[in-house]
């Protein structure tokens, strides 16, 4: 975290400490893909891309400064080899993790949905919006005080230990939409209450006949589909 003029804020968590870069805000992140600052709660949501393994995870984290998210000693719900949470200074568990095996791999973090706009979704108020670039879906869930429980994958941890830690957790996660063509690469809430999604057509490169665009989801009173689905796009 740096100031607009390039200087380092004195309230950064490691400012003034010898042997460390003072601009560091949080660490132990493998591949932060998308971040989202939530001003009302002063939280930073981070979407992470995990390693290309079936036993590891992509996840969303909440950062308030000085946290260590574990990489390369831990990823998602998994602690490698003999590592334990107590051995990782300032360890902070993820708010949500999911495997490649469940069909997802590139997490987008945030934002919170709060709106009094004309087309605001009543069922989304206070929820966290989630998306995955590689698997086309958009979801939403609730952030609560909960419990983080680690995995015991035998391929990387032979002792079978499991760790339970109090943590902020995402629960009641539901699907909002699944894009049929392009993939979600960024999303935000407009003043009108609609959800705006920037979409990328392609994988690592744009598609030859790219259909990339921006989509808008709005709630139309009295015509919404059940289960929180958008009534108009």
């Amino acid at each position: 975290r740096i100031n607009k003029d390039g200087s380092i804020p004195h309230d950064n968590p490691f400012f003034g400490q010898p042997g460390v870069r003072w601009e560091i805000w949080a660490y132990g992140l493998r591949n932060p893909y998308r971040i989202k600052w939530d001003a009302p709660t002063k939280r930073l949501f981070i979407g992470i891309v995990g390693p290309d393994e079936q036993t590891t995870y992509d996840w969303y984290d909440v950062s308030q400064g000085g946290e260590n998210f574990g990489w390369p000693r831990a990823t998602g719900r998994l602690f490698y080899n003999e590592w334990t949470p107590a051995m990782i200074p300032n360890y902070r568990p993820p708010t949500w993790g999911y495997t490649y095996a469940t069909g997802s791999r590139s997490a987008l973090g945030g934002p919170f949905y709060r709106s009094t706009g004309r087309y605001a979704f009543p069922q989304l108020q206070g929820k966290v919006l989630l998306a995955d670039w590689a698997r086309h879906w958009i979801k939403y869930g609730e952030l609560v005080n909960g419990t983080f429980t680690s995995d015991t994958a035998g391929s990387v941890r032979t002792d079978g230990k499991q760790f339970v830690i109090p943590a902020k957790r995402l629960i009641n996660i539901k699907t909002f939409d699944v894009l049929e063509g392009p993939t979600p690469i960024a999303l935000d809430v407009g003043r009108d209450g609609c959800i705006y999604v920037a979409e990328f057509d392609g994988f690592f490169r744009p598609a030859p006949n790219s259909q990339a665009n921006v989509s808008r989801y709005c709630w139309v009173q009295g015509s919404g589909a059940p289960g929180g689905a958008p009534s108009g796009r």
Side-chain angles (χ1 to χ4, degrees), residues 53-124:
E53 305 172 22
Q54 291 299 317
T55 58
T56 53
Y57 303 78
D58 300 341
W59 68 90
Y60 289 88
D61 287 330
V62 180
S63 175
Q64 296 178 326
E67 295 90 348
N68 181 353
F69 297 110
W71 180 262
R73 299 167 179 86
T75 179
R77 292 177 53 237
L78 191 62
F79 291 85
Y80 293 116
N81 304 316
E82 77 281 5
W83 288 94
T84 69
M87 297 166 65
I88 303 174
N90 305 316
Y91 176 69
R92 176 66 60 88
T95 59
W96 185 39
Y98 51 89
T99 68
Y100 280 22
T102 59
S104 306
R105 60 189 301 149
S106 303
L108 282 68
F112 265 100
Y113 187 94
R114 305 182 190 91
S115 179
T116 56
R118 178 181 179 185
Y119 300 112
F121 291 81
Q123 66 272 50
L124 295 185

Side-chain angles (χ1 to χ4, degrees), residues 178-226:
V178 179
L179 306 185
E180 295 181 359
T183 56
I185 200 167
L187 69 161
D188 216 329
V189 181
R191 294 181 180 179
D192 55 5
C194 298
I195 298 170
Y196 291 80
V197 181
E199 301 172 5
F200 178 78
D201 190 14
F203 199 69
F204 290 109
R205 298 177 179 85
N209 300 307
S210 179
Q211 300 297 314
N213 57 76
V214 175
S215 291
R216 182 176 74 156
Y217 297 81
C218 301
W219 177 263
V220 179
Q221 184 67 32
S223 60

Side-chain angles (χ1 to χ4, degrees), residues 132-186:
D132 190 283
W133 172 73
R135 302 303 175 189
H136 300 243
W137 53 248
I138 302 170
K139 297 179 183 288
Y140 61 95
E142 300 174 55
L143 186 64
V144 302
N145 292 319
T147 302
F148 164 82
T149 304
S150 69
D151 203 346
T152 58
S155 60
V156 296
R157 188 171 198 93
T158 58
D159 59 14
K161 286 185 178 179
Q162 194 167 55
F163 310 103
V164 179
I165 307 171
K168 291 286 186 181
R169 298 294 289 168
L170 279 168
I171 63 171
N172 298 330
I173 298 165
K174 299 178 181 180
T175 298
F176 180 80
D177 196 17
V178 179
L179 306 185
E180 295 181 359
T183 56
I185 200 167

